[in-house]
Structures are given as structure tokens and as C-alpha cells.
Amino acid sequence: MSPDYPLGKKLVHPNWRQINAKGEPLGVEDLPSSITRSTGKIQKDFIVGLEASEKNIKWLSVNTQTLHHDNVDYVFSTFIDITEKHNLQEEVSRAKERLKYALKGSEIGVWEYNTEARELYFSNEWRKIIGYVPSEVDNPYEQWEQLIHPEDKDFVLKNVNDCLANLSPGFKIEYRIDTQKGDYKWVGAIGKITARAEDGTPKRFSGTIKDVTDQKKSEEAILASEQKFKNAFHYSAVGMGITDVEGRWIDVNPAFCEMLGYSKTELSKLTFREITHPEDLPECNLYVDKLKKSEIDTFKFEKRYLHKNGGIVWGLLTAAVMWRENNVPKSFIAQVVNISNTKALISQLEANNLQLNLTTIDLENKIEQLEEFNRIVAHNLRGPVGNILQLTDMISEDESLSELYMPMLKEATVGLDSTLKELIKILEIKLNADIAYQKCSFEEIISNVQKMLNIQIQNEKVSFKMNLEVPGIDYPTVYLESILYNLITNAIKYRRKNVKSQVVIHTYIKGGKIALEVSDNGLGIDLQRYGHQIFKLNKVFHKGFDSKGMGLFILKNQIETLGGTISVTSQPNRGSTFEVIF
């Protein structure tokens, strides 16, 4: 604006609008010069705005007074450009208004301390926080001191005094303050020096307080909960640990360390996978993946851990996941109960049950064998004894017949003796379960049997084929020799006429046990007809042979007495294969 406008030499631009400090339009009669001219009153610091646009306003401070000169009345006016100052005041005013509403909405109380007057200014919100109305709390500094909890007073005053002594630029603290109800509230206080004297000493000290009682209660509850968890974690007799999402151990309790023989430092360098038995790892990983995907909240799993000394520790694992706020897995917490002793007891119980079942089966077999033996005794002795009694009766009635019947009596006695010997042999087999074991070579035993049967082998032109995958076995030599002798003898005895006889002997491993197989190409046995009688006493399946049906019965008893089994596969005129599992 040029000087011509206020002097009236030029008219004010028609697009300019004159407004007061509130932004309201001013008419000509409302201008300070008009007021002085019409009333004669002096106008001081009258604010006038010249608005070219909403964003272009010049603010003036106008002072007017009358001036009489040469019988003419003048209005003397002065103009000061206060645009910058006015805009600053407006911004401060708006900021104060914003702060007022912000503080009101946030329930924050404002205070200000005048160090010279030692007076505290408290906002109404400050008083409201501690339950007082404005008239119930004055502004003396001492009255505020009395409201501070005795345990917090020294701490609070030290922070205040450090600021006043220029030892600290400000503070941010929490303390307890007495309320109108007589209890205490926790408040969070912020303070800062806001004005200083020329010498730098504080003049004004301002700040805010906010009720943080609920927050403190929550923090204390969380702290108490964390303490309870910490105590339960570290002093539990059960192994506990925390891993990150990759399975690295973050923390473990002493019980877990003791269980596996590692120190806490050693475990912190490992993952749970590195101390898990390889066979249990796939299932364990499956459960962990389900936890990560929120498919399950927790799981229980019996797994084997690897002890530091190389041993196995059975543990009952219970695991759960801890989440971050964004529903992302944060860590896993695991509880591991050592069930190694329980597992050992279960295994022992299962072994005992198995042994009991085997003993029961063996007892039932022995009872059945005893019943069968009783029948054998009754059957085999009845005939010879009857013959002897009849002959002795006949001789006692007529001594002249003794010469005739004596050979018959002798023959009957020999038969009885033979039967008794066979029965004794059967009993010896059953009673010799604890017979000594020796290291036996299959090749040597077979060679011994071949020597014993050399005449029959040569006469019948029997060929042998051997496939000894297993060269030897720990077994009573006399029993192994008896087994091979009986099987080879039967193979030779029950050969087919006009067919070159061949005996095949094969040793191998079957189901972790040593097996012996003796095959021939002889007459074979009709198993559909006689299969259930193969190993019974006095059972003969081919006529015209000097057979008593004792060999296979004795063979089966020998093998089963030492914990083995014998079975047969056969077809008539195709041959038989006997398999012994030791």
C-alpha cells in the first residue's frame, strides 16, 4: 500500500474489504478515524484488516486522535503493520484451542508452577483426575506436596528440584497422589521448564498429569502373572522349555537340563530337532506345523529324546504356541514329563505277559504231551505185559510147557524192554531243556551223518546238494546231529524207485533266526489226508517199510524243547521239504 491511500489521495482498491479483528466487515462509520471524527474520542490499537483475498490480509494497528489547527479540526491517524504479529497470535490462539479440546478429550490435567510466587496452577481436569472440584484445591506448592504418597515424595521432589536447579531439562515420572476419597491414584507426570529469567534461572515450570492407575494395575497383574510363570517354569520338577518358531531353545528350566544332561548354554545352541530321535521327528514336525497354522491349539506326544551321553530318554511332550498381536507365531512352550521309567515298566510288563503267555502255551503243550504220553504208555505196555502175564500163567499151570513158551516169554520181554527204552528216550528229550550248547558247524555235522549212513548212501546212489548260507550255529551237538540224521534217513528210506535220489540241504536266515531246510525228491506225503498227524507218535504213512512212527515225533520234541519249530511241505511222488527254525 502506498502512502497515498491513508492520506486519501487515492481511493482504496474496490476489491479490498475492511474487516475487524474477528473478521467481520467494517463500514466507513466503523473505522477508527470516523469514530474519532464523530465523537472526538481517541482510538488506540484499533485493529483493522485489509482483505484482498482470504489468503491475503494485511493487518494494521490504527491509533487516531483529533488535532485542531488554524481553526480546522483534523483527525490524526497512525498505522502500524502488525500482519506478522497478528497471524502469530491467531496461530497461538488456535493452538491453545486445539490443546484445550485435546486435553479435554484425553483426560490430561495441566499444571504450571510459578517459581517466584511458589504457586501451582492446576487445570480443572487436573483436579478432576484426583476427584476434587476447583474450590477444594488451592494453588500453594506445599498443598501439592502433601498430596504425594509418602513413599514417592522424595523421588518426585528430587526430579522437580533437579529441573529447577538446571540439572535436568525435564522429567517423565509416575507417582501416587492422594484423592478426594482418601485413596491413592497412580499418575504419569511430565514436566519441563517453559520460561527463564535473564540469568537463566527457571521462572515457569509446566507440565501435565494423566491417570495411569488402570495401566499400573494391568502392569502389576502382568508382572505378577509373569512372576508366577517364572516361578512355575524355573522351579518345576517337570522339564519345561521355550523355543522360537525355528525350534531354537530360548529358555529351559533346570529339570529339563537334568533330564537330558545338557547345560542351559549348551541347549541354547541346539534346536529341539537336534535332540529328538530321528524316528520320532517326522510326527513331531507334523504337530508343530499344525500349531503354526492354528489347526490345533496344543498337542501331546510321546517321543524319544537324545541324552547328551548318547542314551534315550522317553518324554511325554505337551506343547502350545504363543502368538504375536498380528496372529503370527512368536514362540512355542513345551512341557516334558520323563516317562522313561514308566516305559521300562510297561516294556517289562509286556515281556512278562509275553513270557506268561508262552509259559501258558508251553504248559498246555506239556499237559497235552503228558496226556499223549499216558496214552502211549497205556497202549504200548498193555500188549507186552499182557503177553508176559499170559505166558507166565501158562507156564505156572504146566511146567512142561516152559521149554515151548520160554522163547516167547523172552521175545515178549525184549519187546517190553524196547518199548520202555523208547519211552525213556522221549522223557530224556523233554527233561534235557538245559543241555549245554556248543558251536556247531553244519558242514561237519552233515559229514558225520553221511559217514554213519555211508552204506545206505552208496547202495541207493543218493546225491547231496548243499547251500550253506549260514555256516554254523550255537546248539547242542547231539541234538543237531539227531535232527539231521532223522531227516536224511527218512529222505533215503522213503525214496522213489527208478528215480535217482537227491537230498538238498540249505541253511539261511529267516525272520532274524537261523533256518535249516532238508528237501528230497522221494515219495512225499499226502498232507491233505495226513497233515494233522505228521508229528504224532506211531503214525506211519507208507506201508512196506520198517517204520514205527517214532522218528518225527522224537524230532519235533527235540526241536521244540529247545525253543524251535519244525514244519513240512510235501506232495505225493514229488518229495518233501522239512524246515527247522532254531
Side-chain angles (χ1 to χ4, degrees), residues 155-157 159-160 171-175 187-191:
F155 163 72
V156 174
L157 294 181
N159 278 274
V160 172
F171 63 76
K172 184 177 182 180
I173 59 175
E174 292 179 349
Y175 66 94
V187 293
I190 298 174

Side-chain angles (χ1 to χ4, degrees), residues 160-172:
V160 172
N161 291 331
D162 283 351
C163 287
L164 295 176
N166 285 329
L167 299 176
S168 173
F171 63 76
K172 184 177 182 180

Side-chain angles (χ1 to χ4, degrees), residues 79-324:
F79 304 89
I80 301 174
D81 186 351
I82 60 168
T83 302
E84 185 176 348
K85 178 181 177 182
H86 181 84
N87 289 341
L88 182 60
Q89 288 175 339
E90 284 291 308
E91 182 61 33
V92 170
S93 178
R94 286 193 294 269
K96 286 182 177 180
E97 193 68 17
R98 289 195 298 269
L99 178 61
K100 175 183 175 182
Y101 285 108
L103 293 175
K104 185 176 181 180
S106 62
E107 298 181 343
I108 293 176
V110 176
W111 57 269
E112 185 176 70
Y113 178 48
N114 185 325
T115 61
E116 295 175 343
R118 285 186 62 82
E119 285 187 349
L120 274 172
Y121 161 76
F122 300 120
S123 69
N124 290 338
E125 192 64 32
W126 190 99
R127 293 177 171 87
K128 182 179 176 182
I129 286 172
I130 58 175
Y132 289 94
V133 297
S135 60
E136 291 178 319
V137 178
D138 295 327
N139 293 336
Y141 180 88
E142 289 75 13
Q143 187 175 6
W144 166 71
E145 279 191 23
Q146 294 173 2
L147 294 175
I148 301 172
H149 193 286
E151 294 178 2
D152 300 337
K153 184 173 292 186
D154 290 344
F155 163 72
V156 174
L157 294 181
K158 181 181 186 306
N159 278 274
V160 172
N161 291 331
D162 283 351
C163 287
L164 295 176
N166 285 329
L167 299 176
S168 173
F171 63 76
K172 184 177 182 180
I173 59 175
E174 292 179 349
Y175 66 94
R176 287 164 289 182
I177 191 166
D178 195 4
T179 69
Q180 193 270 344
K181 294 180 181 179
D183 56 0
Y184 285 92
K185 276 188 176 182
W186 278 96
V187 293
I190 298 174
K192 186 176 182 181
I193 302 298
T194 54
R196 296 181 183 274
E198 291 182 1
D199 61 359
T201 58
K203 287 180 63 176
R204 293 192 178 276
F205 193 15
S206 305
T208 61
I209 68 166
K210 183 176 182 179
D211 184 354
V212 294
T213 304
D214 291 340
Q215 177 183 328
K216 291 294 288 187
K217 287 180 178 178
S218 297
E219 289 175 355
E220 289 172 357
I222 292 171
L223 184 62
S225 177
E226 289 177 348
Q227 188 62 42
K228 287 180 181 178
F229 173 79
K230 183 178 179 180
N231 290 339
F233 184 88
H234 288 284
Y235 301 115
S236 173
V238 175
M240 298 184 72
I242 299 173
T243 73
D244 61 18
V245 291
E246 301 301 325
R248 291 181 289 266
W249 293 104
I250 300 172
D251 196 6
V252 289
N253 70 349
F256 191 74
C257 294
E258 183 179 356
M259 185 189 307
L260 298 181
Y262 289 96
S263 68
K264 186 174 180 179
T265 302
E266 289 172 329
L267 283 172
S268 68
K269 299 175 183 178
L270 301 173
T271 68
F272 77 84
R273 295 177 179 86
E274 292 175 284
I275 57 173
T276 297
H277 193 285
E279 293 178 4
D280 297 336
L281 197 53
E283 187 173 358
C284 191
N285 285 335
L286 181 63
Y287 280 123
V288 171
D289 289 340
K290 287 184 176 182
L291 279 180
K292 288 181 179 179
K293 296 175 183 177
S294 295
E295 295 178 6
I296 55 176
D297 297 322
T298 183
F299 70 82
K300 283 188 176 184
F301 174 46
E302 289 186 2
K303 59 179 285 192
R304 287 163 290 181
Y305 288 90
L306 304 177
H307 195 279
K308 184 180 178 180
N309 64 14
I312 298 296
V313 178
W314 273 99
L316 175 59
L317 167 65
T318 303
V321 63
M322 293 186 284
W323 300 94
R324 299 185 188 277

